[in-house]
């Protein structure tokens, strides 16, 4: 079953974030069994050529590659989709107009406004017709809910045709509410719950990024009702594992 179909059926999926450009990292994480992986161009130094190379690695492991963009710009969306991404994760969606613009940039006319070109996704010119059908059946558009204005417009955003799922960015959301990093603040938690309930109402797969590699925190989010879960990221898992093991070694010696 494709990721798009799994999201439609609200099946639990667990993915993670890649910020380091070495293909071995992508391969290791895909082989570990994540349901999808995000290639983060917003908060990393990944270049487009590196993104395509990582997409190729993930394709080889049959792991959907979602590219988190730096902005909701149609040219950027077109380029990562042409590189072969399964879909996009768009930051700072604050209105239905923002959501519609993201969808339009993924799909060709008449469904959208994406410019037509031949690149890796289209088989370098050998399979454009097949790619059009693949796009309709498999492409995913994930909106990031990470600003108080998005909370105010959440019903309009989630009712936008073509949106497959949402994911909450808790840190930016807390910052937009004047409580940067205070993820347990009552107002931040109330906003998260509001988004979750709106997602249920509009039948959209709901997600949140559990930034620290904490399985108990992940389970808590699953119990809350989230089904599109981002579990940590490459650098936090690497750092956490190193520190935890070294601490155990030093305290036991």
């Amino acid at each position: 079953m494709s990721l798009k179909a799994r999201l439609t059926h609200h099946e639990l999926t667990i993915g993670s974030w890649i910020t380091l450009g070495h293909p071995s990292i992508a391969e290791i994480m895909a082989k570990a069994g994540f349901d999808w992986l995000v290639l983060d161009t917003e908060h990393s130094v990944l270049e487009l050529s590196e993104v395509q190379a990582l997409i190729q690695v993930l394709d080889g492991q049959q792991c959907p590659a979602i590219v988190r963009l730096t902005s909701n710009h149609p040219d950027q969306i077109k380029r990562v989709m042409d590189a072969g991404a399964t879909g996009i994760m768009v930051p700072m969606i604050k209105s239905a107009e923002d959501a519609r613009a993201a969808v339009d940039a993924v799909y060709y006319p008449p469904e959208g406004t994406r410019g037509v070109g031949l690149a890796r996704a289209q088989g370098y010119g050998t399979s454009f017709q097949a790619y059009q059908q693949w796009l309709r059946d498999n492409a995913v558009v994930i909106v990031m809910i990470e600003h108080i204005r998005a909370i105010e417009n959440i019903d309009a955003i989630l009712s936008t045709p073509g949106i497959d799922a949402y994911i909450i960015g808790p840190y930016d959301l807390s910052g937009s509410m004047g409580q940067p990093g205070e993820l347990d603040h009552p107002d931040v938690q109330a906003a998260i719950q509001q988004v979750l309930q709106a997602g249920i109402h509009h039948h959209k797969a709901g997600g949140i990024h559990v930034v620290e590699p904490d399985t108990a925190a992940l389970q808590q989010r699953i119990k809350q009702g989230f089904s599109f879960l981002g579990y940590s990221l490459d650098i936090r898992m690497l750092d956490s594992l190193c520190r935890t093991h070294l601490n155990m070694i030093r305290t036991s010696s």
Side-chain angles (χ1 to χ4, degrees), residues 1 19 44 72 83 100 119 124 139 143 149 153 164 171 181 199 222 227:
M1 188 183 295
T19 64
S44 79
N72 189 14
R100 183 67 246 176
Y124 303 102
V143 293
R149 281 181 55 197
N153 296 317
D164 295 287
Y171 278 94
I222 294 172
S227 61

Side-chain angles (χ1 to χ4, degrees), residues 53-173:
L54 295 177
I55 290 171
Q56 290 170 307
V57 170
L58 297 184
D59 279 354
Q61 298 299 320
Q62 298 184 316
C63 179
I66 301 169
V67 179
R68 178 158 87 158
L69 308 164
T70 62
S71 67
N72 189 14
H73 196 290
D75 289 348
Q76 186 178 173
I77 294 171
K78 174 174 59 182
R79 294 185 78 192
V80 300
M81 292 303 295
D82 282 351
T86 300
I88 56 171
M89 183 176 286
V90 192
M92 287 295 170
I93 294 295
K94 299 175 185 176
S95 66
E97 290 75 18
D98 288 347
R100 183 67 246 176
V103 173
D104 282 348
V106 167
Y107 293 98
Y108 297 121
E111 292 90 355
T113 58
R114 177 177 168 188
V116 177
L118 302 177
R120 179 177 179 270
Q122 302 84 8
Y124 303 102
T126 66
S127 55
F128 178 69
Q129 297 301 325
Y131 177 69
Q132 288 189 84
Q133 188 59 52
W134 179 93
L135 198 63
R136 298 185 191 100
D137 296 340
N138 295 280
V140 296
V141 179
I142 315 296
V143 293
M144 296 199 73
I145 305 300
E146 49 185 352
H147 196 278
I148 187 61
R149 281 181 55 197
I151 307 301
E152 296 165 356
N153 296 317
I154 193 62
D155 288 307
I157 291 170
L158 296 186
S159 60
T160 302
I163 298 300
D164 295 287
Y166 70 84
I167 191 163
I168 297 171
Y171 278 94
D172 278 327
L173 176 60

Side-chain angles (χ1 to χ4, degrees), residues 175-193:
S176 76
M177 300 177 70
Q179 309 292 339
E182 297 183 38
L183 306 188
D184 293 327
H185 191 281
D187 291 345
V188 176
Q189 287 300 310
I192 290 172
Q193 188 62 31

Side-chain angles (χ1 to χ4, degrees), residues 5-44:
R6 296 177 75 182
L7 294 177
T8 300
H9 290 88
H10 292 223
E11 182 179 328
L12 176 65
T13 66
I14 298 174
S16 189
W17 257 240
I18 294 175
T19 64
L20 302 174
H22 200 287
S24 293
I25 292 173
E27 189 172 40
I28 289 167
M29 294 179 74
K31 282 180 175 292
F34 283 108
D35 296 307
W36 44 268
L37 287 166
V38 169
L39 308 178
D40 189 354
T41 68
E42 184 181 17
H43 293 294
S44 79

